[in-house]
Amino acid sequence: RSSIVNAKQPSLEETMTDSRENNNDKHRKRKRTFGSNNSGNGSKNAVSIKNFIKKGQNDSSFHRQRKKKEFIRKAKIVNSYKRLLKKEGKESTVSDTKVKEKHKGKAESKTDRFFKEKEKARLREEKQREREAQSLEMEKNKVRNQKRRKVMSKKLSKRTRKGQPIMKNLLGNLLDQIEKQG
């Protein structure tokens, strides 16, 4: 017993600091192991459920990458098919060119965000040009008709010395009208 009594017993303060250090070490260990590469579940790239959901909601690049890979895969298949045709000495078929033309138009509309608006604006401009051309043509016709009426009115208003209308002009006018109708 004397040896036990003589052994230095830790003070209350020392025991408190030791217990705090032990607790901190435990927490540190937890922090290190949680979410690290060796989390104990066998996977090296473990992601928390919250991060997984957030990533799925905000990241649309995954879908773009998948589409791009699929496009590349299909393009490789088409190119290998064309190489085989070339080896056999055949040219690409007409249906291939039609398909290319269809996809070309779709690709342009997809790449251009304002394709519909630009198309509408182009149509509006074309209609405006047509209206202007029609108005110019109508104005030319109007001027032509006015000149023709003026000449006809001068012919029809001519009189002899005694004030009688000149019958040649009247009969010529009547003949012209009959020819237009018949």
Side-chain angles (χ1 to χ4, degrees):
R1 286 187 179 182
S2 65
S3 63
I4 297 173
V5 174
N6 287 342
K8 188 177 179 184
Q9 291 184 355
S11 67
L12 183 61
E13 290 176 5
E14 289 175 359
T15 55
M16 292 293 284
T17 56
D18 287 341
S19 65
R20 283 184 199 149
E21 287 175 7
N22 288 339
N23 286 339
N24 288 338
D25 288 340
K26 288 178 187 176
H27 289 295
R28 280 188 204 129
K29 286 179 186 175
R30 273 192 218 149
K31 287 180 183 176
R32 274 189 231 124
T33 58
F34 181 75
S36 69
N37 290 343
N38 300 324
S39 60
N41 59 3
S43 76
K44 292 184 178 181
N45 297 325
V47 179
S48 69
I49 293 173
K50 290 180 183 177
N51 289 341
F52 178 76
I53 292 170
K54 285 180 185 176
K55 184 105 175 162
Q57 288 174 350
N58 297 333
D59 191 21
S60 64
S61 65
F62 170 75
H63 299 290
R64 276 189 247 121
Q65 289 173 352
R66 189 171 71 186
K67 281 185 176 182
K68 189 175 180 181
K69 285 180 183 177
E70 190 173 334
F71 175 77
I72 291 170
R73 184 182 62 81
K74 287 181 180 179
K76 286 180 181 178
I77 292 169
V78 169
N79 286 336
S80 64
Y81 173 72
K82 286 182 181 179
R83 270 187 248 124
L84 286 173
L85 285 177
K86 205 172 193 181
K87 283 181 183 177
E88 293 175 5
K90 296 179 181 178
E91 292 294 320
S92 62
T93 60
V94 177
S95 61
D96 288 343
T97 56
K98 287 181 182 177
V99 170
K100 285 179 187 177
E101 289 173 3
K102 285 182 183 177
H103 289 298
K104 185 179 178 183
K106 287 182 181 178
E108 288 175 359
S109 65
K110 285 184 181 179
T111 56
D112 191 6
R113 291 183 178 181
F114 304 107
F115 180 76
K116 290 180 182 176
E117 287 78 8
K118 285 182 179 178
E119 191 68 24
K120 286 180 185 176
R122 188 182 60 81
L123 290 173
R124 269 190 246 121
E125 288 175 4
E126 285 180 11
K127 286 181 181 178
Q128 183 67 26
R129 287 185 205 129
E130 288 175 6
R131 283 188 215 126
E132 288 175 1
Q134 286 178 350
S135 65
L136 285 173
E137 193 174 321
M138 288 175 66
E139 215 166 298
K140 287 179 183 177
N141 288 337
K142 194 175 185 180
V143 170
R144 214 179 297 135
N145 288 336
Q146 283 179 348
K147 286 182 181 178
R148 186 179 49 83
R149 283 190 205 122
K150 204 172 195 179
V151 170
M152 285 303 295
S153 66
K154 281 186 178 180
K155 278 186 181 180
L156 294 176
S157 64
K158 284 189 177 179
R159 305 285 169 161
T160 62
R161 286 183 190 167
K162 294 183 178 180
Q164 300 296 318
I166 298 176
M167 292 307 287
K168 178 183 171 185
N169 293 337
L170 290 174
L171 292 175
N173 185 27
L174 287 173
L175 281 172
D176 289 338
Q177 285 180 359
I178 292 170
E179 286 176 358
K180 284 182 182 176
Q181 288 176 0

